[in-house]
Amino acid sequence: MKTAYDVYDGWTDESNTYQVTEGREEMIADVIGYADGAFDINLSREVAEKIVAAFERMKAYEGGADIDEHYKAVQAPLEEIEL
């Protein structure tokens, strides 16, 4: 079973060179498209919004977040969302 964190992790991976990182609506659409293409998952807008919100939280740290903060703010909440 995949989780929202699996989608987040793949979408934010540096190998995803087509990732859209600007414009909230554009990022939501990109996450939905990524989940469909990479995992064959029909991701809801609500879950995509949570993934984008997690991305924005981590982006605000600009490399200053430690592993514990990443786990609490991103990984743990998104792992609870089964897809």
Side-chain angles (χ1 to χ4, degrees):
M1 174 66 57
K2 296 290 183 197
T3 68
Y5 184 73
D6 293 317
V7 175
Y8 171 90
D9 192 43
W11 180 68
T12 59
D13 190 275
E14 64 186 36
S15 68
N16 180 12
T17 58
Y18 299 106
Q19 177 193 29
V20 175
T21 59
E22 299 294 327
R24 188 162 179 76
E25 289 301 315
E26 292 82 357
M27 286 191 292
I28 291 168
D30 191 47
V31 168
I32 291 170
Y34 177 81
D36 183 40
F39 296 103
D40 196 26
I41 293 173
N42 186 12
L43 195 67
S44 72
R45 179 179 174 87
E46 178 184 356
V47 172
E49 287 173 347
K50 290 178 181 183
I51 291 170
V52 168
F55 172 76
E56 289 173 334
R57 276 193 300 278
M58 293 314 297
K59 189 176 176 182
Y61 286 107
E62 291 300 327
D66 62 20
I67 193 79
D68 187 51
E69 185 62 35
H70 177 268
Y71 180 78
K72 289 188 288 186
V74 176
Q75 189 173 349
L78 293 179
E79 282 182 334
E80 292 178 2
I81 304 170
E82 292 184 356
L83 305 174

